[in-house]
Amino acid sequence: MKEVLTISAIFEIAPQLWRGVQITVSILIASALFAYAMSFIAGLCRLSNNFLLRKLTGFYVELFRGTSLIVQLFWLYYAVPMLFGINLGSNWWIGVIAIGLNYGAYLSEVVRSSILSVSQGQYEAATALNMSSFQRMRFIIFPQAVRMMLPEFGNYTIQILKGTSLVSLIGLTDILYYGDVMRSTSLSLSPLIYLTALIFYFILALPLIFLTRKAEKIAKKGAAS
Amino acid sequence: MAEPIVTYQDVHKSFGDVEVLKGIDLDIYPAEKVAVIGPSGSGKTTIIRLLMTLEQPTAGDIIVDGRNLWKMEKNGKWVHANENHLRSIRGDIGMVFQHFNLFPHMTILENCMTAPIHVKNEEKNDVKKRSIEMLERVGLGDKLDNYPSQLSGGQKQRVAMARALVMRPKIMLFDEVTSALDPELVGEVLNVIRDIAENDDMAMVLVTHEMDFALDIADKVLFLDEGVIAEQGTASEVIEHSENPRVQSFLQRFRG
Amino acid sequence: MNLNYWSWDTFFDALPVILQGLGITIGLTFASYLFALIFGFLWTFLRRIPNRFVHFIVTWTMEFIRSTPPLVQLFFIYYALPVIPYIGISLHPFACAVLGLGIHFSTYIGEIYRSGIENVDKGQWEASTALNISTWDKWRKIILPQAIPPTIPMLGNYFIIMFKEVPLASTIGVAGIMLLARSYGAENWSYLEPLTIVGIIFLVLSYPSAVLIKKLENRFNKRFHKNQIMKDKGAMQ
Ligand SMILES: Nc1ncnc2c1ncn2[C@@H]1O[C@H](COP(=O)(O)OP(=O)(O)OP(=O)(O)O)[C@@H](O)[C@H]1O
Ligand SMILES: [Mg+2]
């Protein structure tokens, strides 16, 4: 019992978990990009003048914010092949779509509120310089709003990383998946297995943590003149 | 005298149930310097915001250079102006705000260059040259690459003026441009305005509480009171000869 | 879209089965939330220990817990905790979930407390020192009563977030609505309806709570805003 808790056991565990890093990272990157794209699309749609567009995106946002990621993941996992008769080819896509749609909904609120928080004076100054509504958005409002969004985008990217661990539940071979496989064969090692898994996730999170802190500084600097 | 460049015809403006402007008739001539004075809440800011298209009049017409600002003709009928119509006229008008409203994410040079390049599609190098000249004129030639947050209030306001001037408007609007400044910074901004007033031939409308300054440079003074023009004329007509008791008591407060 | 797979019979057959887990789901939400509220204080006070080493350890421990997946933390508590020699204890899945979710979210709650405390006017601290109030009374009667109320809307948001994380506990065998839905699905070989039911339950419960908290937030903002205006007026006179 005692010898399995030695440091040397880590050298046995880490390479096993390492096999899952590729899936964790690829899901992280793909679903984060998907979530960012959704957030801008939905965030801008919710600010549009078109009533139907506003209501439809509002429905999407509330639907995904109102239910849990794990529910959405399983729902898509079971329902998409049934309802739409399409096989997405792999569970990898299910994971990316579920995580992307979920966090895209949260981030769209960040996009929306950042745009709304650019001061009225900025709109007026841009109007006084005879900019069109597109130019106002493109050159004045959007660049300022993006600076304000950055810290929340950082925070949510860390949330996305945490969320990727759910894909092991639909059979994707990520870090947690290999951890579970190891645990099922050697239960006594499980403290070290899960600790190592947590450390793996933390190492992946570290750059995101530092980027978020940097983003906070940028956001502060860009704030009103 | 030449044709007026701006004409207000019985212009009314209400916010909800409150009528803020109650029938404004006003002519502004090319190169004319107009000072708008009056008590707080009398509608001074609203008058110029209507011209800058930041507010819509509730009734009446504003004519700019012979064209109706808020109405356009479509299939023989007068309809509400659309964005294109507004933009075709708005280019003649520039405005400087009380709180500067500089773009915080751009250097001061970029603040000046953005609109001419993207709105007027002018050549970048020309715009740059002109912007630098203009910033030098307002005394900020050494700050081109600074961000607004690195400037004092007076410097910010001078950038805002340069930014508006680079667009070469025919009419410049100033809304209490010194009232957000520390007292010791007011002078440098007023000097720039005086310089513009003396050397440029655009029309200027100044809403201000700097009474002596306004009366000094203005060709025409409007005294606004509760949404109507209570008195208008040359500085000496309004100040020395006005019989309106409201004007008298207002001026007294400023003269002490 | 092929709706032939959808069966209202299954839907209404599954509904009562799944609803049986609602008590557990809501109970777990409350229990873990309470745990997080209490544990959050611990972080807040640990962080105030004026020792750079302790501060460093506490800060990074919080960061570690917060930025690693709660699912893995649950597995750690459920599978690994019992086999740790000497200290290992075996807990009921429900208790594991309370511990796991509670600790995970306590790091967020601790941050909220901290922001609340930092927003208390400096003068209040100085005044309590000047009046020679004991540390215990200073916290209990002066600082916390001012620090906590403004954070209530934010704390409320975390209640809803917690509610939506609770189905994670299905993975370690807590028989809330999620687990019941999945086992119904496995038995009857139809997951679509039971999972839809779970989604609807979450929507029905979380959306009104979110609206409620938004209202609360507006009320609070107004109240504090009003106080601010009154303060400004007082300063002018
Ligand atoms: N957007 C608005 N909504 C509602 N009321 C407004 C709005 N803008 C101005 N008002 C009201 O219209 C009136 C005139 O405002 P305006 O800003 O034109 O006054 P002013 O003469 O510029 O005053 P001041 O010297 O204080 O700047 C005021 O009573 C003001 O409260
Ligand atoms: Mg005004």
Side-chain angles (χ1 to χ4, degrees):
Chain A
M1 194 79 176
K2 257 184 200 162
E3 54 273 5
V4 297
L5 278 177
T6 51
I7 295 299
S8 65
I10 289 207
F11 293 105
E12 213 177 296
I13 294 163
Q16 289 296 315
L17 299 188
W18 176 253
R19 294 162 63 195
V21 168
Q22 194 209 335
I23 288 285
T24 297
V25 170
S26 68
I27 296 250
L28 168 66
I29 292 173
S31 55
L33 290 179
F34 185 37
Y36 300 160
M38 282 311 292
S39 72
F40 280 99
I41 294 170
L44 291 173
C45 281
R46 283 198 94 180
L47 292 170
S48 99
N49 292 325
N50 186 318
F51 178 82
L52 196 68
L53 206 58
R54 265 198 332 260
K55 288 291 151 196
L56 270 175
T57 42
F59 178 73
Y60 151 66
V61 171
E62 295 307 340
L63 186 68
F64 278 85
R65 275 161 33 108
T67 54
S68 310
L69 177 57
I70 185 173
V71 180
Q72 291 152 20
L73 185 73
F74 277 114
W75 197 90
L76 286 175
Y77 178 62
Y78 289 113
V80 166
M82 271 191 191
L83 284 181
F84 300 95
I86 37 171
N87 204 330
L88 285 173
S90 75
N91 292 343
W92 189 87
W93 281 105
I94 300 271
V96 168
I97 290 172
I99 298 172
L101 285 177
N102 180 280
Y103 287 104
Y106 283 96
L107 280 169
S108 76
E109 288 291 281
V110 175
V111 171
R112 188 173 75 108
S113 64
S114 302
I115 288 175
L116 287 177
S117 69
V118 175
S119 77
Q120 185 65 24
Q122 296 289 311
Y123 283 88
E124 296 188 350
T127 307
L129 291 169
N130 207 13
M131 290 189 190
S132 67
S133 52
F134 175 77
Q135 288 167 335
R136 273 199 306 255
M137 199 50 151
R138 160 83 178 73
F139 298 115
I140 308 302
I141 308 304
F142 210 64
Q144 293 184 55
V146 166
R147 279 173 178 73
M148 281 186 266
M149 291 171 205
L150 288 177
E152 283 297 306
F153 268 70
N155 282 328
Y156 273 109
T157 310
I158 297 172
Q159 299 293 334
I160 291 174
L161 170 64
K162 284 154 57 174
T164 61
S165 65
L166 294 182
V167 299
S168 65
L169 302 174
I170 57 169
L172 282 172
T173 54
D174 73 340
I175 297 173
L176 180 55
Y177 178 89
Y178 284 109
D180 284 340
V181 168
M182 267 197 104
R183 181 255 306 157
S184 63
T185 55
S186 45
L187 187 63
S188 61
L189 268 180
S190 57
L192 271 184
I193 293 170
Y194 286 119
L195 192 65
T196 314
L198 286 170
I199 291 170
F200 266 67
Y201 280 106
F202 190 60
I203 291 170
L204 291 176
L206 273 177
L208 300 174
I209 292 169
F210 285 114
L211 281 175
T212 304
R213 290 188 182 171
K214 193 153 186 196
E216 269 158 14
K217 283 198 193 113
I218 293 173
K220 259 188 209 135
K221 220 165 61 184
S225 68
Chain B
M1 213 169 185
E3 286 290 298
I5 188 165
V6 175
T7 305
Y8 285 65
Q9 292 171 349
D10 195 24
V11 171
H12 292 253
K13 174 65 186 173
S14 305
F15 291 108
D17 296 335
V18 187
E19 192 168 39
V20 174
L21 294 181
K22 303 166 182 165
I24 299 292
D25 287 292
L26 171 65
D27 286 328
I28 299 169
Y29 292 90
E32 191 178 29
K33 319 299 175 204
V34 181
V36 183
I37 60 174
S40 184
S42 55
K44 305 182 294 291
T45 298
T46 308
I47 280 198
I48 60 175
R49 284 174 61 86
L50 288 172
L51 184 53
M52 193 66 259
T53 70
L54 299 175
E55 307 280 0
Q56 282 183 37
T58 329
D61 293 304
I62 299 175
I63 314 295
V64 179
D65 225 357
R67 296 174 65 200
N68 196 317
L69 179 59
W70 284 101
K71 290 176 193 153
M72 58 182 204
E73 226 173 339
K74 199 173 164 191
N75 308 329
K77 268 192 259 171
W78 286 97
V79 297
H80 193 274
N82 64 16
E83 182 67 15
N84 279 339
H85 177 87
L86 289 177
R87 286 192 76 205
S88 69
I89 301 180
R90 199 153 57 195
D92 287 344
I93 309 165
M95 181 162 176
V96 184
F97 298 85
Q98 183 174 358
H99 295 287
F100 331 126
N101 296 349
L102 294 181
F103 305 133
H105 58 299
M106 298 179 182
T107 64
I108 67 172
L109 185 58
E110 288 163 352
N111 262 277
C112 294
M113 290 173 60
T114 305
I117 291 174
H118 295 111
V119 176
K120 298 176 88 175
N121 291 317
E122 291 184 53
E123 222 275 304
K124 194 176 167 187
N125 286 328
D126 294 348
V127 174
K128 186 167 182 179
K129 201 165 138 254
R130 207 163 80 225
S131 300
I132 293 174
E133 276 168 20
M134 206 55 85
L135 285 166
E136 278 166 355
R137 181 176 171 190
V138 300
L140 291 168
D142 56 337
K143 302 263 189 225
L144 301 180
D145 295 324
N146 284 46
Y147 283 87
S149 58
Q150 299 165 310
L151 303 183
S152 74
Q155 291 171 327
K156 282 182 202 169
Q157 197 57 294
R158 286 185 275 148
V159 175
M161 282 191 263
R163 181 175 71 177
L165 287 171
V166 174
M167 290 292 278
R168 297 184 165 138
K170 293 183 188 159
I171 310 147
M172 274 274 271
L173 311 175
F174 298 80
D175 186 13
E176 298 197 23
V177 294
T178 56
S179 60
L181 299 179
D182 293 335
E184 71 270 19
L185 301 177
V186 169
E188 62 187 61
V189 172
L190 293 184
N191 285 340
V192 173
I193 299 179
R194 187 187 299 274
D195 173 49
I196 301 169
E198 283 167 5
N199 298 308
D200 292 34
D201 56 0
M202 65 195 138
M204 288 166 62
V205 183
L206 287 125
V207 173
T208 184
H209 285 161
E210 295 293 329
M211 213 51 61
D212 292 324
F213 174 79
L215 302 177
D216 185 24
I217 67 160
D219 303 314
K220 176 156 78 192
V221 175
L222 302 181
F223 182 81
L224 211 62
D225 190 29
E226 294 185 344
V228 294
I229 297 177
E231 194 79 61
Q232 72 173 302
T234 64
S236 75
E237 280 167 358
V238 172
I239 299 163
E240 280 141 39
H241 307 295
S242 172
E243 255 122 62
N244 188 325
R246 303 269 304 185
V247 181
Q248 297 294 352
S249 75
F250 178 76
L251 287 174
Q252 231 146 46
R253 266 197 294 132
F254 275 94
R255 307 246 134 145
Chain C
M1 193 154 127
N2 187 347
L3 285 176
N4 290 336
Y5 289 100
W6 181 265
S7 148
W8 284 109
D9 286 342
T10 314
F11 183 89
F12 286 111
D13 187 42
L15 189 60
V17 178
I18 292 169
L19 280 176
Q20 280 171 9
L22 192 55
I24 298 268
T25 297
I26 292 178
L28 180 56
T29 310
F30 273 100
S32 346
Y33 186 64
L34 200 67
F35 190 97
L37 284 183
I38 295 166
F39 219 70
F41 272 114
L42 191 70
W43 292 121
T44 311
F45 284 102
L46 283 177
R47 281 190 73 159
R48 296 189 70 85
I49 294 174
N51 173 311
R52 274 177 57 193
F53 181 70
V54 174
H55 187 85
F56 179 86
I57 296 289
V58 174
T59 309
W60 280 99
T61 307
M62 284 175 84
E63 196 70 77
F64 184 85
I65 295 173
R66 199 176 13 195
S67 33
T68 52
L71 185 62
V72 185
Q73 293 166 4
L74 280 180
F75 284 0
F76 183 89
I77 290 169
Y78 183 68
Y79 293 111
L81 203 55
V83 300
I84 295 178
Y86 308 123
I87 61 158
I89 37 162
S90 195
L91 295 169
H92 186 274
F94 189 90
C96 288
V98 172
L99 202 60
L101 295 174
I103 291 177
H104 188 83
F105 280 95
S106 69
T107 57
Y108 290 93
I109 303 275
E111 280 299 303
I112 297 178
Y113 291 153
R114 185 171 70 105
S115 74
I117 291 167
E118 277 174 5
N119 282 336
V120 173
D121 193 30
K122 251 223 181 96
Q124 299 290 317
W125 295 86
E126 288 162 4
S128 351
T129 312
L131 292 171
N132 207 11
I133 299 172
S134 75
T135 310
W136 171 248
D137 277 348
K138 180 175 77 186
W139 280 100
R140 203 168 58 99
K141 295 197 176 135
I142 315 276
I143 305 302
L144 290 182
Q146 295 184 69
I148 300 305
T151 65
I152 285 176
M154 254 197 289
L155 291 176
N157 274 329
Y158 270 98
F159 182 75
I160 299 179
I161 294 173
M162 179 75 92
F163 177 53
K164 286 181 286 193
E165 292 290 309
V166 156
L168 286 184
S170 67
T171 57
I172 57 168
V174 175
I177 51 177
M178 188 67 189
L179 186 71
L180 295 186
R182 286 177 64 197
S183 43
Y184 183 95
E187 275 163 31
N188 299 276
W189 201 234
S190 60
Y191 286 93
L192 184 56
E193 297 85 357
L195 284 172
T196 307
I197 290 172
V198 174
I200 292 172
I201 294 175
F202 271 99
L203 268 184
V204 164
L205 290 177
S206 74
Y207 188 67
S209 333
V211 172
L212 197 78
I213 283 172
K214 190 108 218 169
K215 274 205 180 130
L216 201 73
E217 200 174 338
N218 289 341
R219 269 238 320 262
F220 268 91
N221 282 347
K222 245 186 234 153
R223 214 176 89 199
F224 289 109
H225 187 64
K226 214 157 113 204
N227 286 346
Q228 191 57 46
I229 290 171
M230 276 150 68
K231 244 193 248 164
D232 292 347
K233 275 195 180 148
M236 263 157 53
Q237 279 156 9

